[in-house]
Amino acid sequence: MIEDIVMTANNLELDEVQIVAQRYIKREDGLLIYPRKEDLKTAGSGYDALYNIMISGLTVDRFNGSVTRMGEEVSLYIDGRKVEYREFQNIQPSSIEKIEYIDIPSGKYIRDKTVINVILKYPTTGGYLAVDGKQNIGYLQGDYNLTTQYVKKNLIYSFFGGYYIEKDHNKGTL
């Protein structure tokens, strides 16, 4: 004789699912770093973001705009293009997707001792404007910068302008 089998509902309900990935991915030539939102939230510049991420062995001087490793200057890149102080300073921290820390450079970075390459994420439409200025009262000091970027589908329009002026502070003192 065949008996009936009765099944009862046994449901397990989840409130939320959280997927956690590694922030630091070790590669042959260094690290690939995905910054947390907390790292970028309080940052006002590219140097602040790099300082907040705290890469072991790097010294980030946010005020003078320098990055060193074991006393040697680190080369700074944005999307694979070498940049100077002002352009790195004006990175929108919220636009940072990932950071490549390369301590064994090869290929196009072969002439550098250590490399930081910031990879930016680009929206399909939109843009930003960043203005940076410094002036000391009295004998001229200067340092004015402007960065703007507009993205429309696959086209990226970028503009960077900077100005620096300085006079000798030792002349004319009382």
Side-chain angles (χ1 to χ4, degrees), residues 105-111:
S106 62
K108 72 183 203 175
Y109 306 121
I110 195 72
R111 292 190 175 110

Side-chain angles (χ1 to χ4, degrees), residues 24 28 36 51 63 65 67 70-71 93 102 105 140 151 171-172:
Y24 292 89
E28 283 184 21
R36 295 178 305 203
Y51 179 83
F63 304 108
V67 181
M70 298 189 316
I102 303 168
L140 294 176
V151 177
K171 291 185 178 178

Side-chain angles (χ1 to χ4, degrees), residues 45-48 50-51 58-69 71-76 83-86 88-89 116:
S45 71
Y47 290 102
D48 289 341
L50 201 54
Y51 179 83
L58 284 188
T59 303
V60 180
D61 185 346
R62 299 177 292 171
F63 304 108
N64 294 319
S66 69
V67 181
T68 57
R69 177 179 173 248
E72 304 245 350
E73 197 70 25
V74 173
S75 299
L76 302 173
V83 296
E84 299 299 325
Y85 163 77
R86 287 180 182 86
F88 199 83
Q89 174 74 17
I116 294 288

Side-chain angles (χ1 to χ4, degrees), residues 46-129:
Y47 290 102
D48 289 341
L50 201 54
Y51 179 83
N52 290 350
I53 291 168
M54 294 190 285
I55 300 171
S56 181
L58 284 188
T59 303
V60 180
D61 185 346
R62 299 177 292 171
F63 304 108
N64 294 319
S66 69
V67 181
T68 57
R69 177 179 173 248
M70 298 189 316
E72 304 245 350
E73 197 70 25
V74 173
S75 299
L76 302 173
Y77 288 78
I78 297 175
D79 291 329
R81 181 180 49 84
K82 193 164 189 164
V83 296
E84 299 299 325
Y85 163 77
R86 287 180 182 86
E87 198 168 351
F88 199 83
Q89 174 74 17
N90 287 321
I91 291 176
Q92 276 301 104
S94 61
S95 68
I96 296 175
E97 180 180 338
K98 58 188 170 187
I99 297 173
E100 294 177 316
Y101 168 65
I102 303 168
D103 57 359
I104 306 172
S106 62
K108 72 183 203 175
Y109 306 121
I110 195 72
R111 292 190 175 110
D112 300 310
K113 294 186 189 277
T114 305
V115 173
I116 294 288
N117 183 27
V118 176
I119 309 295
L120 301 178
K121 54 187 168 189
Y122 293 99
T124 56
T125 303
Y128 70 87
L129 172 70

